[in-house]
């Protein structure tokens, strides 16, 4: 599969652009939001984009609204009841019972039974309406600033106001088409507080478990509205977001405020994880890019792995860190990320996410579905 199809951001962006071409496609979008995912025995073999642990249960999401779960360490899988058929891209559980999944068309799903059944909490239409209302508030504030500003400052403020009007018009045009913008990742700290984020700088925050959402994008320094691809919490409690064009944003107050960090890499970053040590993080993305920071992103060092494959997901457990990517790439470190050893799986199918399984084994998901491997990424069978 082409790189653009295996990277959540690029695939989602292309999807959004193609959906804007004709109004008839908007009806198709509504259809997949309103159509429950069909049961199929092939769900564990089809494209899966993310996998997490809900207590002792594995839960994975993928294309066509597929959500599957396993209670025997990935030996067998059960397909969940899901009310949509859109591609799902991200997944997180705050407790073994409460989980959230996000995906294309701005879908946010919630489960209260460890991933067995799901309900819709938000779609792209609602997300767009919230973003438009937020933009209108920002425009009103800017208009007031322009009115009160000295004459020598009005010019720059009026230029900024024009940009805000233009952005509002684009948002309204998107809403006329339908729910086109995808969410790409989700994170919840508990059953109440969480974030969903995605294409074109979209980020929303909830304080009540998804019953209501607030547009959080004005709190990030991202005027170009670059895609936001991944969010994580690292040891010590800090949160980090990475995205397109080397975007790195860090929060040390639970996500209320965010600081932009300088990145040594200007390309897209698709994932970020902690190492398990306080304030340490690894960010990764295109062309095998892997960066390490021990000070919450204030400084970075580049890690050479010998791989040029795009990296999509990772997991840290004690001193072992595993990263997975395109072309069947599995990178494993046994020394906390100082060095990595690469294994390329013979099938060369792209990998999107990984979690620890029994003993030192791994469960990887991606283009070929869910697969159990040994500690290096080699098939167990």
């Amino acid at each position: 599969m082409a790189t653009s199809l295996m990277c959540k951001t690029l695939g989602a962006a292309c999807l959004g652009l193609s959906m804007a071409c004709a109004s008839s496609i908007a009806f198709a979008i509504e259809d997949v939001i309103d159509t429950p995912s069909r049961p199929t025995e092939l769900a564990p073999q089809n494209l899966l984009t993310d996998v997490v642990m809900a207590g002792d249960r594995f839960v994975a999401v993928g294309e066509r609204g597929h959500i599957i779960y396993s209670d025997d360490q990935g030996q067998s899988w059960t397909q969940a009841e899901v009310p949509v058929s859109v591609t799902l891209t991200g997944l997180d559980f705050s407790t073994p019972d409460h989980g959230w999944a996000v995906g294309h068309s701005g879908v946010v799903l919630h489960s209260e039974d460890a991933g067995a059944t799901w309900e819709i909490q938000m779609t792209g239409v609602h997300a767009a309406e919230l973003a438009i209302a937020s933009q209108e508030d920002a425009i009103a504030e800017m208009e007031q600033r322009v009115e009160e500003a000295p004459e020598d400052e009005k010019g720059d403020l009026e230029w900024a106001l024009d940009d805000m009007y233009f952005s509002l018009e684009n948002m309204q045009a998107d809403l006329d088409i339908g729910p086109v913008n995808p969410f790409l990742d989700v994170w919840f700290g508990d059953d109440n507080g969480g974030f969903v984020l995605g294409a074109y700088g979209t980020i929303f925050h909830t304080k009540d478990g998804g019953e209501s959402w607030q547009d959080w994008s004005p709190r990030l320094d991202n005027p170009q509205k670059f895609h936001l691809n991944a969010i994580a919490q690292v040891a010590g409690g800090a949160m980090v977001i990475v995205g397109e064009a080397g975007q790195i944003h860090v929060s040390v107050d639970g996500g209320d405020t965010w600081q932009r960090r300088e990145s040594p890499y200007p390309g897209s970053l698709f994932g970020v994880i902690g190492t398990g040590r306080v304030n340490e993080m690894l960010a990764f993305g295109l062309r095998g890019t892997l960066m390490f920071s021990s000070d919450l992103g204030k400084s970075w060092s580049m890690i050479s792995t010998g791989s040029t494959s795009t990296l999509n997901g990772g997991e840290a457990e004690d001193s072992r860190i595993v990263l997975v990517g395109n072309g069947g790439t599995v990178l494993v470190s046994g020394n906390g990320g100082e060095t990595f050893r690469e294994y390329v799986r013979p099938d060369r199918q792209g990998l999107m996410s990984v979690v620890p399984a029994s003993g030192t084994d791994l469960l990887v998901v991606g283009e070929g579905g869910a697969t159990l491997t040994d500690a290096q990424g080699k098939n167990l069978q």
Side-chain angles (χ1 to χ4, degrees):
M1 184 175 289
T3 298
S4 62
L5 295 180
M6 287 310 303
C7 298
K8 289 189 286 188
T9 300
L10 299 181
C14 292
L15 180 69
L17 291 173
S18 66
M19 286 180 174
C21 294
S23 60
S24 62
I25 299 179
F27 293 107
I29 297 171
E30 297 291 350
D31 287 345
V32 293
I33 290 178
D34 295 333
T35 303
S37 183
R38 291 184 178 181
T40 171
E41 295 181 357
L42 298 179
Q45 287 83 52
N46 289 338
L47 173 63
L48 297 171
T49 58
D50 200 8
V51 61
V52 299
M53 297 189 69
D56 294 327
R57 170 177 286 183
F58 292 154
V59 185
V61 300
E63 64 179 348
R64 302 187 181 95
H66 291 169
I67 300 181
I68 59 175
Y69 57 92
S70 173
D71 293 322
D72 56 9
Q73 292 290 296
Q75 298 291 334
S76 63
W77 294 89
T78 302
Q79 189 171 352
E81 296 179 18
V82 181
V84 298
S85 298
V86 300
T87 294
L88 300 173
T89 55
L91 180 66
D92 192 42
F93 276 77
S94 59
T95 65
D97 291 327
H98 284 268
W100 285 262
V102 297
H104 289 186
S105 303
V107 165
V108 180
L109 304 176
H110 176 232
S111 173
E112 296 182 346
D113 55 9
T117 62
W118 297 79
E119 61 179 13
I120 297 176
Q121 281 195 332
M122 182 161 62
T123 70
V125 170
H126 184 205
E129 291 171 343
L130 290 173
I132 287 172
S134 176
Q135 185 74 355
E136 289 173 339
D137 290 342
I139 287 174
E141 292 179 8
M142 181 60 73
E143 289 173 336
Q144 185 68 28
R145 287 183 61 189
V146 170
E147 183 177 336
E148 298 173 352
E151 286 301 320
D152 61 344
E153 297 180 8
K154 284 185 182 292
D156 289 341
L157 292 176
E158 287 172 345
W159 275 106
L161 183 59
D162 285 343
D163 287 341
M164 295 172 72
Y165 283 136
F166 181 73
S167 178
L168 177 61
E169 290 173 0
N170 284 340
M171 295 163 70
Q172 292 169 331
D174 284 344
L175 181 57
D176 290 339
I177 294 168
V180 297
N181 293 333
F183 288 127
L184 302 174
D185 203 8
V186 53
W187 177 88
F188 270 76
D190 53 36
D191 289 351
N192 295 311
F195 293 88
V196 296
L197 49 80
Y200 306 107
T202 302
I203 178 170
F204 291 92
H205 176 53
T206 181
K207 297 180 180 179
D208 54 15
E211 294 296 322
S212 63
W213 296 87
Q214 291 179 284
D215 180 15
W216 226 243
S217 59
R219 304 196 181 207
L220 271 65
D221 180 12
N222 183 20
Q224 299 90 348
K225 296 188 181 299
F226 288 125
H227 305 324
L228 303 176
N229 297 334
I231 180 172
Q233 186 177 55
V234 303
M239 300 177 63
V240 58
I241 292 170
V242 299
E244 185 185 19
Q247 290 274 300
I248 302 171
H249 305 270
V250 174
S251 174
V252 296
D253 58 8
D256 285 340
T257 62
W258 296 84
Q259 294 81 44
R260 175 83 174 265
R261 300 293 198 230
E262 291 296 323
S263 171
Y265 179 65
S268 290
L269 300 170
F270 294 122
V272 60
I273 60 172
T275 66
R277 297 186 291 268
V278 173
N279 294 344
E280 288 190 357
M281 62 183 73
L282 289 163
F284 44 88
L286 283 175
R287 299 173 181 171
T289 298
L290 179 59
M291 313 186 311
F292 169 76
S293 176
S294 61
D295 55 9
L296 295 180
K298 296 177 183 177
S299 62
W300 294 89
S301 58
M302 306 298 291
I303 298 178
S304 177
T305 64
S307 175
T308 58
S309 296
T310 291
L311 301 174
N312 300 314
E315 180 73 22
E317 184 183 43
D318 298 326
S319 61
R320 183 176 71 159
I321 297 173
V322 183
L323 304 173
V324 296
N326 289 3
T329 297
V330 181
L331 299 176
V332 179
S333 172
N335 54 16
E338 294 182 15
T339 59
F340 284 83
R341 175 177 294 181
E342 180 184 23
Y343 173 72
V344 178
R345 290 171 50 78
D347 59 19
R348 298 298 182 102
Q349 291 183 316
L351 302 175
M352 296 297 294
S353 185
V354 57
V355 290
S358 299
T360 60
D361 294 342
L362 303 171
L363 175 72
V364 297
V365 302
E367 190 176 4
T371 305
L372 286 169
T373 78
D374 66 11
Q376 294 180 299
K378 299 178 180 179
N379 283 0
L380 291 179
Q381 300 176 350

